[in-house]
Every structure is written in C-alpha cells, then in structure tokens.
Amino acid sequence: MSESLPVGKLPYELMASLLARAPGGDPRVLVGPGPGMDCAVVDAGGDRLLVFKSDPITFVADDVGEYLVRINTNDIATTAAEPSWLLLTLLLPEGKTPPERAEALNEQVFEACREAGIAVIGGHTEVTHGLDRPIAVGALVGEVARDRLVTPRGAAPGDRILLTKGVPIEGTAILAGELGERLAGVLSPEELARARHFMTDPGLDVLRDARVATGAGRVTAMHDPTEGGVITALWELAEASGRSLEVTPERIPVPDLAQRMCQALGLDPLATIASGALLLTCPPAEAQAIKDALAGAGIACSDIGTVKPGPATVYRFTEAGGGPIDRPERDEIAKVYEA
C-alpha cells in the first residue's frame, strides 16, 4: 500500500488529476473545477449568474461558526459576487458535545450570516464518532451581474499584482489560539491576545476589500490565499490564468507579531494559511486608483509584482536577480499538528 497522504490539501498533481476526471458537459457551467478556481459559476438565465463555493473549517476548535462564514464568503467575493444563501453541515465530536455547544456553534454561524446578509437555507448537523473537534462545512451561493464577473482566468500580461492587508492573518489567529502555551516565551500575554484577535483586526473578511477594489477600477482577477499561504495562492493564480507571475517577496507585508510567531515555530509566513488578504490583478493604469481607494477605506494594499506571459510559473524578482519560487508541498501550519 502507498504511504498515507500528509495533513492538508491534496498534492497538486493528484488534485489536478482528480479534477480533470470530474463529470461535466453542462453548457450552463461557465466556470467549473480547476486549480486556482475559487468558485463555480453557473448561468441561470437573465442578467444574473450564480456563484457556488464549498469550504470546511478543520484547523480550529473555537469560533468555528464565524470562521466558516468568513472563509466561504471570501471565495464568493473573489468573483465580485454578493453572498446570498448558505447550506451548513456541522459534525460534532462524540462525548464532547452538550446541547449548549451545538446551540453556540449554530448561533455563531447565524450571527455571522446576519451581519453579511446571508440566509441559512438548510444543511445537516450530527454528533460523529472519531472526531476530536468540531468540523464545519459550508456551501455558499452568491449572485453577480453577468458583466461584473471576475475570475482568476482574467489576469493579463502587464497587469500589476496587488495584495491587501498582509499575511498570514488566519495563520496568526489559529496559532495564537491553539499554541498559546508554546508561544508564551515569545509573545507577551497582551501580544498573544492581540494575535488571537487577528480574525477581526485586521480581519479575515475580504468581501469589503473586493467591493472597494472593483468599485475603484478595473480588476482583472482576484484570488483568496488560504492553505499554502500567499505563495501557493500565486501559483494557483498563475495556473488558472496560464500566466507567469513575477513577484518581489520582500514587498509582501508580514505583521511583526506574525513574523515573530512563525520564526519561533519554524514556519515560513509566506506559506502559512493566509485568509484575510486578497490577491488581485489590474491594468497598470488602474493600480493607483485602486490602492488609493483601499487606503481611503482603511485597507492596506501593496504592489508585489507583475503578470507576464505564460507558461504558468511564479518567479522571484529582485534587483540582485531572481529565479523560480517553489510551490509549497503543503501548508506550513500542518507542521505544528504533527509535532
């Protein structure tokens, strides 16, 4: 028997092979499964398109419900769509789930949906054998006008590559919440508390980032960095668009707390789960207006590189020279769950 797969996303080659065999053929499916594709898009007729996303929460035990809504909403946002309807699946650990816990987790989801204007339309909840923490899975549906749809395929040669906020926002919140004792000698109690609240400040939500950016100028592609961090997200964007991305890693903002935490745990912050940042491309003439609009909304934005013709590759560019940037084999955060 082959060696078991490690924790995290399936290896790229295996995932690409599986997706290539997925049944298709429906002409109403405008965007289907593929590397770097955050969402599926279906033509339901008229001037509106339906956008679909499904994502789980597996690494965290606290704030599962809020995480679930934020993570799924982020992917919907990358298409310039508005999130509308959620199907919720909650799997709860046997022997560790009093009724109050089930109620609290559901209410987390409901409250986050109320804030985002999302209707919960169904799903499934059960107590499951063999779990040590809750597992939440969301299937979120959004709507977008036909002429406003943005997909990762749209990145064009010459476009600038922009990144909002910094990385790894989600990784920092997870590590502070899960490994507080191990980090106590690195961060003060006040710093650990601040790191735990990275979910809300600077925040995991990129729906607002996407709204501001698309309202300020022409955005050609958007992508949500998640597992594997911003480096994996760049590779996924390159593959989805068939372009080469030339980036300067030193321009990618890493908050001081995140940098110190990752250094203490031996993790690369650029390959650590990074929800909360939005990766986007735009024509050079639009870049400044988009950056100014984001800054005016209190959202930091950095210009980290440029889109080049294909083939799909991610390159490091510095004044001293450059070269290919390897795709991370898995998310760095998986290391701490195997230690």
Side-chain angles (χ1 to χ4, degrees):
M1 181 178 292
S2 301
E3 184 177 346
S4 180
L5 294 167
V7 171
K9 282 185 177 180
L10 292 181
Y12 167 74
E13 292 79 8
L14 175 58
M15 193 71 249
S17 173
L18 291 173
L19 294 178
R21 304 199 301 270
D26 188 332
R28 294 171 296 179
V29 179
L30 304 183
V31 178
M37 305 309 296
D38 290 307
C39 301
V41 181
V42 173
D43 187 346
D47 65 350
R48 308 291 289 180
L49 304 175
L50 294 179
V51 180
F52 297 80
K53 177 60 187 180
S54 178
D55 235 342
I57 299 298
T58 56
F59 280 136
V60 298
D62 297 323
D63 301 317
V64 171
E66 186 170 357
Y67 265 101
L68 178 78
V69 176
R70 299 286 178 251
I71 297 308
N72 280 277
T73 297
N74 284 355
D75 280 339
I76 295 288
T78 65
T79 65
E82 291 294 323
S84 301
W85 305 286
L86 177 72
L87 289 162
L88 169 67
T89 297
L90 273 178
L91 306 180
L92 307 173
E94 181 185 20
K96 299 181 180 180
T97 307
E100 297 80 13
R101 179 62 168 154
E103 291 175 356
L105 289 172
N106 275 276
E107 187 54 40
Q108 286 178 15
V109 174
F110 299 161
E111 182 58 30
C113 285
R114 291 185 194 104
E115 292 178 5
I118 296 168
V120 178
I121 61 170
H124 178 80
T125 300
E126 69 172 56
V127 175
T128 305
H129 174 70
L131 298 182
D132 64 353
R133 63 180 63 211
I135 302 294
V137 183
L140 185 61
V141 184
E143 292 183 288
V144 64
R146 188 180 298 272
D147 62 356
R148 284 183 54 80
L149 177 67
V150 177
T151 79
R153 296 172 178 165
D159 283 355
R160 302 306 303 168
I161 305 169
L162 308 182
L163 182 75
T164 66
K165 300 190 184 85
V167 298
I169 294 171
E170 184 179 6
T172 301
I174 292 173
L175 293 169
E178 299 281 304
L179 302 175
E181 291 184 4
R182 285 178 60 180
L183 293 165
V186 179
L187 302 178
S188 70
E190 294 77 15
E191 289 173 327
L192 272 173
R194 184 149 45 96
R196 291 188 191 100
H197 285 91
F198 264 39
M199 187 174 74
T200 54
D201 182 17
L204 292 188
D205 185 11
V206 300
L207 180 59
R208 184 163 168 260
D209 305 37
R211 286 170 173 166
V212 172
T214 56
R218 186 163 73 89
V219 173
T220 54
M222 291 188 283
H223 191 41
D224 172 34
T226 54
E227 285 189 50
V230 68
I231 298 300
T232 295
L234 287 163
W235 268 101
E236 291 172 344
L237 180 57
E239 283 148 359
S241 63
R243 309 299 186 188
S244 174
L245 306 185
E246 190 175 83
V247 299
T248 302
E250 292 75 17
R251 293 183 183 174
I252 298 173
V254 179
D256 176 66
L257 282 180
Q259 182 69 59
R260 290 159 55 199
M261 184 180 298
C262 288
Q263 185 174 2
L265 296 171
L267 309 182
D268 179 356
L270 303 190
T272 299
I273 190 166
S275 294
L278 178 65
L279 193 64
L280 63 97
T281 62
C282 64
E286 307 279 340
Q288 193 59 53
I290 291 172
K291 289 170 63 179
D292 289 346
L294 287 164
I299 301 169
C301 180
S302 301
D303 187 324
I304 65 170
T306 189
V307 179
K308 299 288 188 178
T313 316
V314 180
Y315 282 99
R316 175 190 302 271
F317 175 79
T318 66
E319 293 182 0
I325 299 177
D326 292 336
R327 173 200 291 272
E329 293 184 3
R330 58 177 179 161
D331 195 287
E332 288 284 278
I333 206 169
K335 294 178 181 177
V336 303
Y337 286 90
E338 296 178 350

